[in-house]
Amino acid sequence: MTSSPPLHTVLGSGPAGTALARELVRRGHFVRLVDRSGSGPALEGVERYAADVATPEGARAAVAGAAVVYHCVNVGYHLQVEVMPKIQEAVLDASEAEGARLVVLDTLYPYGETHGAVMTEDTPWNATTRKGRMRAELDARYLAAHREGRLPVVLGRSADFVGPGVLNSTLGGAVFPAALTGQPVPALGDIDLPHSYTYIEDVAAGLATLGEHPDADGRVWHLPTAPARTTREILALVEHRTGRPIDLTAVAEPRPFGPFDETFMAEYAEMFYQHTEPQILDSSAIEKAYGLTPTPLETALDATLAWYGEFLAAHR
């Protein structure tokens, strides 16, 4: 009798979770994609499943039978400090009970202000903001759970997302639709500083690779990220591809703009340092360890603009 392939369960069906589910299927894995509704476009080879992983019972149902669990859940920005620790507790307990490995999608927030220093996996965690301290505390608990032998855990950190399906990012819904239609594009902070952006398909490839390699467990890895460019350079690449001049509007301090409403920007204000100092991510460790190569930024922009063109056409 042929046994079923191990189940890889992805928690969270946002851009990262959805891209990861597709990548895991491409690699031949049986995949369950979990969110609170269990709805959404059909993805070939993916089982959609409804569960609220902020609750113990929902998390247990979501990870039942999983060999590897990928935590890609996020919540509204103004809810993160309150809700993310509850999700962590439920997901850790459920994954431990199931005997699963846990792969966590993480942010750069724990590092805090680096004053332009290149971020490696050895960069100290010096966050002073509420959300940065919260993320650092979560990560410390994840790594402690691994050290204590509760379950195998590995963390994959990403810079700001860019790519198809990415709306709520500083290089997302406020930039590409406006660039394609001639509307004002926000220039957050100092756009002449180098800033790393991680392509969403490289987020997926990095997390899938960590999920396939138990030797990666017990530490933080930076997901594959192309060399940092200034945001102005990136916008010039977008301008060249659209054939339309970009109408830049300076946003020198946090204020509502485009899809970023007052509630979001009030919460984001403490993180605005990310636009007033260089944000440079070094992902050479995972590249060397597992032979991964970040997608060139030009290729990422081509795919992103194509997706946004279709998105805008569908929503006219």
Side-chain angles (χ1 to χ4, degrees), residues 19-43:
L20 174 57
R22 289 195 302 261
E23 175 68 14
L24 290 168
V25 169
R26 189 186 69 77
R27 295 181 181 214
H29 298 295
F30 178 47
V31 180
R32 175 187 297 153
L33 181 59
V34 180
D35 61 21
R36 285 184 295 177
S37 71
S39 61
L43 300 174

Side-chain angles (χ1 to χ4, degrees), residues 212-250:
E212 293 176 334
H213 288 86
D215 59 299
D217 292 343
R219 58 164 289 182
V220 170
W221 296 86
H222 289 172
L223 300 175
T225 301
R229 311 271 278 275
T230 71
T231 301
R232 190 182 297 278
E233 288 179 281
I234 294 171
L235 294 176
L237 290 171
V238 172
E239 189 174 65
H240 175 73
R241 281 158 170 74
T242 63
R244 181 192 292 270
I246 286 182
D247 177 14
L248 280 177
T249 296

Side-chain angles (χ1 to χ4, degrees), residues 86-213:
K86 296 177 182 177
I87 294 174
Q88 178 190 53
E89 182 178 2
V91 170
L92 272 176
D93 288 348
S95 300
E96 177 185 10
E98 196 60 39
R101 291 179 59 233
L102 179 60
V103 180
V104 180
L105 173 58
D106 196 16
T107 73
L108 303 183
Y109 288 8
Y111 298 133
E113 297 181 49
T114 63
H115 308 293
V118 175
M119 287 174 271
T120 72
E121 289 87 344
D122 295 323
T123 296
W125 300 5
N126 290 328
T128 58
T129 63
R130 290 169 60 247
K131 283 176 280 297
R133 291 196 305 269
M134 177 269 292
R135 291 283 186 175
E137 289 166 3
L138 295 186
D139 290 356
R141 289 184 204 131
Y142 284 125
L143 295 175
H146 177 88
R147 287 195 307 272
E148 294 161 5
R150 290 181 56 190
L151 76 170
V153 182
V154 61
L155 281 67
R157 284 187 178 156
S158 168
D160 287 347
F161 293 165
V162 62
V166 176
L167 294 169
N168 297 319
S169 170
T170 56
L171 204 58
V175 171
F176 294 103
L180 285 164
T181 59
Q183 300 302 307
V185 171
L188 297 180
D190 185 348
I191 64 171
D192 290 308
L193 298 174
H195 195 107
S196 292
Y197 296 93
T198 307
Y199 184 43
I200 199 68
E201 301 298 338
D202 291 338
V203 172
L207 293 174
T209 297
L210 295 178
E212 293 176 334
H213 288 86

Side-chain angles (χ1 to χ4, degrees), residues 268-291:
Y268 191 65
E270 66 173 2
M271 308 304 301
F272 204 74
Y273 69 82
Q274 296 175 108
H275 306 287
T276 58
E277 66 175 24
Q279 290 276 291
I280 306 172
L281 181 68
D282 178 344
S283 62
S284 59
I286 199 170
E287 294 171 36
K288 292 174 182 175
Y290 300 110

